[in-house]
Amino acid sequence: MRATIMYGPGDVRVESVPDPRLVEPTDAIIRVTHASICGSDLWPYRGLDDRPFGPNGIPMGHEAIGVVEAVGPEVRTVKPGDTVLMPFAYSDGTCVFCHEGLPTACVHVGFFGSPEVGGAQAEAIRTPFADGTLFPLRAEVDETLMPSLLTLTDVMATGHHAAVTAKVGPGKTAAVVGDGAVGLCGVVAAKRLGAERIILLGGHPDRIALAKEFGATDIVSDRGEAAVERVRELTGGYGAHSVLECVGTEEAMRTAILIARPGGAVGRVGVPHYEAIPASDPAFYGNLTIGGGPAPARAYFAELLPDVLEGRIQPGRVFDLTLPLDRAAEGYRAMDERRAIKVLVKP
Amino acid sequence: MRATIMYGPGDVRVESVPDPRLVEPTDAIIRVTHASICGSDLWPYRGLDDRPFGPNGIPMGHEAIGVVEAVGPEVRTVKPGDTVLMPFAYSDGTCVFCHEGLPTACVHVGFFGSPEVGGAQAEAIRTPFADGTLFPLRAEVDETLMPSLLTLTDVMATGHHAAVTAKVGPGKTAAVVGDGAVGLCGVVAAKRLGAERIILLGGHPDRIALAKEFGATDIVSDRGEAAVERVRELTGGYGAHSVLECVGTEEAMRTAILIARPGGAVGRVGVPHYEAIPASDPAFYGNLTIGGGPAPARAYFAELLPDVLEGRIQPGRVFDLTLPLDRAAEGYRAMDERRAIKVLVKP
């Protein structure tokens, strides 16, 4: 089959690789119909990750919708022919953390887009713990909904997680740090959870336009101290109740803490490419709550799916470029150069 | 009047100073009947604080029960003769943060034990914003309850805040880092909020004995990696749902994060004498929530007071030494040398 492999910074190739096959009795093989390139794929693409590429490169992609092609003998809840959502992490569905709604802390957790299980930017992928991981769509789904459904496998679930851990609620002011696909989904999530005011910190005109359509009420395009000042001005000097940190850089996290109102919460979902969080002021003296982490996407499907199926949210609008699998490398370039917000890849 | 002044590390003197007087129309003067020495007073005593002593030293003490002696013309809720609790911070009682239950973020917040307002280890103290700050006791209170009531002005409120921000609840496992007075009050608070299991990390035999009486079910006297290992063993390998960080050192905070269960919460109330919180693993990958800060003691009085008055909790047992004001310096030495858990000072 064809699959996307990254061999080093800026070096993405779509190549012929062996077809995936069932290894464990709990595995499923799915034929990928929709995959995407994630902002987090840009970290290694830009040479900003510690992860070694190795001589065989890294199979890329961790977000997919597909059709089940084969299942191991112990798989019970999906069967060949089912259309399924595949979240970015696999999980057994039976451990204490899965039961507590935190499958990204599953005792068997693993992440797609790795040499062990392969990547989703490919014609097919092996899914460990298929029962715990895959979420079958029970009805025929219109193709136009597929982009929004695909976001549930990562970016929309992640934006939602940022909003939940930032304690967004009715009447509150939310600030979203970052205008990437996750930040934009954070706007969707904040709106959905009732935020009265949603301040997006971002500078890219196309993304700002989409953020406004998603429900952002204010835009702050300054950076650093100026951004902090501007958010303070917009919030009567106090800051935002809920801050969604959707970038993962030291500057973004620092900004997130500085624009939070005393007693407020920061939900951080950008994979941290920084060592530490400033401990003292304002995090401690402002009684801030700092939460977040890898979104338990699988656990959020049931809550978010109806809103997508019934058209109340359209996070799939973050996809502004669709490419066939063989042109995946173009997608990386477009996202790296910020010509595209998010790229949908169709095998 | 007599008051306790710290002139430098290890240099505490009780001296004659001018009587406090009403400055603002919202002030009250209270005659202190019960004050205490706080673990946080040991930071400057040990030379571990950045705060300059200045030529006139720092008036010490921020926890008091007293009798109102005089009030300014705008004070409405307390009157001369009232016995009042004075929390460690003053607050106006009217701003948005006071209304939200976070008086330690009051727009007029200030802390006792400073040259501006004086200290509570004294015969009398000026209390700014008396209506917002002081809490009058409505009935005659038995002297035997006074130590426990006094803890509400700081350590018990702070232990409670650690438990609340660590999300202690029925059936959960709580771990308390630190066997000082705040840690011990954290045990009281965790028990009160329904924790099924309470692990105290501490090594001092007297404190361990009291912690057990307060409800600690397990004691871990190891430190560093060994302590982390031991808590993991006690919790099926997962860690504690709720971790109360009651020390404020880098090692304590690091331990707190490492013993938290994925999806768990750390409530930190030890004044941070560390620069930063490790950002990545396990804080991010374990989806930990990190909260806490200066306890909104004034806002907790109403909730905690009935439990003290009706004898359900006895946090006053942390006082194991009572001294007259003129011997306050002895109290500092006893706490510094860990011969006393907490010292009650009677002017």
Side-chain angles (χ1 to χ4, degrees):
Chain A
M1 69 162 183
R2 306 288 285 168
T4 307
I5 313 288
M6 190 184 292
Y7 285 92
D11 184 5
V12 171
R13 306 177 212 165
V14 178
E15 301 185 328
S16 290
V17 301
D19 286 344
R21 52 186 194 81
L22 298 169
V23 177
E24 301 292 335
T26 49
D27 284 352
I29 303 298
I30 70 169
R31 184 143 299 273
V32 177
T33 57
H34 303 74
S36 53
I37 303 173
C38 183
S40 66
D41 296 336
L42 295 181
W43 290 105
Y45 188 81
R46 291 170 171 165
L48 300 174
D49 239 1
D50 296 335
R51 194 161 56 145
F53 289 95
N56 300 317
I58 303 170
M60 298 301 294
H62 50 257
E63 304 154 292
I65 297 175
V67 176
V68 176
E69 195 168 76
V71 298
E74 291 180 17
V75 174
R76 297 279 173 273
T77 60
V78 297
K79 60 183 188 306
D82 284 351
T83 298
V84 292
L85 302 181
M86 188 195 85
F88 66 88
Y90 56 84
S91 50
D92 64 22
T94 58
C95 80
V96 60
F97 296 105
C98 286
H99 280 297
E100 289 176 3
L102 193 59
T104 38
C106 171
V107 300
H108 291 114
V109 73
F111 297 88
F112 293 105
S114 66
E116 295 73 37
V117 286
Q121 294 158 15
E123 288 182 286
I125 187 166
R126 176 172 80 90
T127 305
F129 300 101
D131 284 338
T133 305
L134 298 173
F135 188 94
L137 296 174
R138 292 298 174 197
E140 278 297 306
V141 174
D142 193 276
E143 177 64 27
T144 60
L145 289 174
M146 287 298 184
S148 285
L149 291 170
L150 184 58
T151 66
L152 299 184
T153 67
D154 189 345
V155 282
M156 182 59 210
T158 297
H160 178 66
H161 192 52
V164 168
T165 53
K167 304 184 187 178
V168 172
K172 288 193 182 176
T173 294
V176 179
V177 180
D179 62 7
V182 171
L184 293 167
C185 288
V187 173
V188 173
K191 172 90 174 170
R192 181 180 171 279
L193 291 171
E196 184 176 293
R197 196 161 178 196
I198 302 172
I199 303 167
L200 178 81
L201 282 76
H204 193 287
D206 293 353
R207 296 164 191 225
I208 289 172
L210 186 53
K212 286 181 175 170
E213 291 183 48
F214 279 163
T217 55
D218 301 86
I219 306 294
V220 172
S221 295
D222 308 283
R223 297 178 71 106
E225 285 307 310
V228 173
E229 276 304 300
R230 184 75 190 113
V231 174
R232 291 245 175 90
E233 278 170 31
L234 289 169
T235 54
Y238 297 143
H241 300 94
S242 300
V243 182
L244 290 66
E245 196 290 297
C246 303
V247 180
T249 61
E250 183 158 14
E251 183 188 346
M253 188 59 193
R254 189 168 169 277
T255 298
I257 288 176
L258 289 171
I259 63 176
R261 174 193 175 93
V266 176
R268 58 188 183 126
V269 294
V271 177
H273 285 70
Y274 50 92
E275 290 294 314
I277 301 166
S280 194
D281 204 21
F284 183 83
Y285 289 100
N287 259 291
L288 303 187
T289 298
I290 297 168
R298 178 64 177 76
Y300 287 145
F301 286 163
E303 176 179 351
L304 298 175
L305 194 67
D307 281 6
V308 169
L309 292 177
E310 291 157 33
R312 283 187 292 277
I313 59 173
Q314 299 183 309
R317 294 178 65 194
V318 296
F319 289 109
D320 53 354
L321 180 60
T322 299
L323 292 170
L325 175 60
D326 273 330
R327 291 170 60 192
E330 285 179 44
Y332 279 80
R333 276 197 296 279
M335 283 177 63
D336 178 44
E337 294 163 10
R338 302 200 100 197
R339 286 182 284 110
I341 302 174
K342 191 168 174 72
V343 176
L344 196 153
V345 175
K346 293 200 73 169
Chain B
M1 70 161 185
R2 305 288 286 168
T4 307
I5 313 287
M6 190 183 293
Y7 285 93
D11 184 5
V12 171
R13 305 178 213 164
V14 178
E15 300 185 329
S16 290
V17 302
D19 287 343
R21 53 185 193 81
L22 297 170
V23 177
E24 302 292 336
T26 49
D27 285 352
I29 303 297
I30 70 170
R31 184 143 300 272
V32 177
T33 58
H34 303 75
S36 52
I37 302 174
C38 183
S40 66
D41 295 337
L42 295 182
W43 290 106
Y45 188 82
R46 291 170 172 164
L48 300 174
D49 239 0
D50 296 335
R51 196 161 53 144
F53 289 95
N56 300 316
I58 303 170
M60 298 301 294
H62 50 257
E63 306 155 291
I65 297 176
V67 177
V68 176
E69 197 168 74
V71 298
E74 290 179 18
V75 173
R76 297 280 173 273
T77 60
V78 296
K79 59 181 187 310
D82 283 352
T83 297
V84 292
L85 303 181
M86 189 196 85
F88 65 89
Y90 57 84
S91 50
D92 65 21
T94 58
C95 79
V96 60
F97 296 106
C98 286
H99 281 297
E100 288 176 3
L102 192 60
T104 39
C106 172
V107 299
H108 292 114
V109 73
F111 298 88
F112 293 105
S114 67
E116 293 73 36
V117 286
Q121 294 158 15
E123 288 182 284
I125 187 166
R126 176 173 78 91
T127 305
F129 301 102
D131 284 337
T133 305
L134 298 173
F135 188 94
L137 296 173
R138 292 299 174 197
E140 279 296 306
V141 175
D142 193 276
E143 178 63 27
T144 60
L145 289 174
M146 287 299 184
S148 286
L149 290 170
L150 183 59
T151 66
L152 299 185
T153 67
D154 190 344
V155 283
M156 182 60 209
T158 297
H160 178 65
H161 192 51
V164 168
T165 54
K167 303 184 186 176
V168 172
K172 288 192 182 178
T173 294
V176 179
V177 180
D179 62 6
V182 171
L184 293 167
C185 288
V187 172
V188 173
K191 172 91 175 168
R192 181 180 171 277
L193 290 172
E196 185 174 293
R197 197 162 178 194
I198 302 171
I199 303 168
L200 178 80
L201 282 77
H204 194 287
D206 293 354
R207 297 165 189 224
I208 289 171
L210 185 54
K212 285 181 176 170
E213 291 183 46
F214 279 164
T217 56
D218 300 87
I219 306 294
V220 172
S221 295
D222 308 284
R223 296 180 71 106
E225 284 307 311
V228 172
E229 276 304 300
R230 185 75 190 113
V231 174
R232 290 246 176 88
E233 278 169 33
L234 288 170
T235 54
Y238 298 142
H241 299 95
S242 300
V243 182
L244 290 65
E245 196 290 297
C246 303
V247 179
T249 61
E250 182 158 14
E251 182 187 346
M253 188 59 193
R254 190 168 168 276
T255 298
I257 288 177
L258 289 171
I259 64 177
R261 174 193 174 94
V266 176
R268 60 190 183 124
V269 293
V271 176
H273 285 70
Y274 50 92
E275 290 294 315
I277 300 166
S280 192
D281 203 21
F284 182 83
Y285 288 101
N287 259 290
L288 303 187
T289 298
I290 298 169
R298 179 64 178 74
Y300 288 144
F301 286 163
E303 176 179 350
L304 297 174
L305 194 68
D307 281 6
V308 169
L309 292 177
E310 291 157 32
R312 284 186 292 275
I313 59 173
Q314 300 183 309
R317 295 179 65 195
V318 296
F319 290 109
D320 53 355
L321 179 61
T322 298
L323 291 170
L325 175 60
D326 273 330
R327 291 169 61 191
E330 285 179 44
Y332 278 81
R333 277 197 296 279
M335 281 178 64
D336 179 44
E337 293 164 10
R338 303 199 100 197
R339 286 182 284 109
I341 301 174
K342 190 168 174 71
V343 175
L344 197 153
V345 175
K346 294 200 74 171

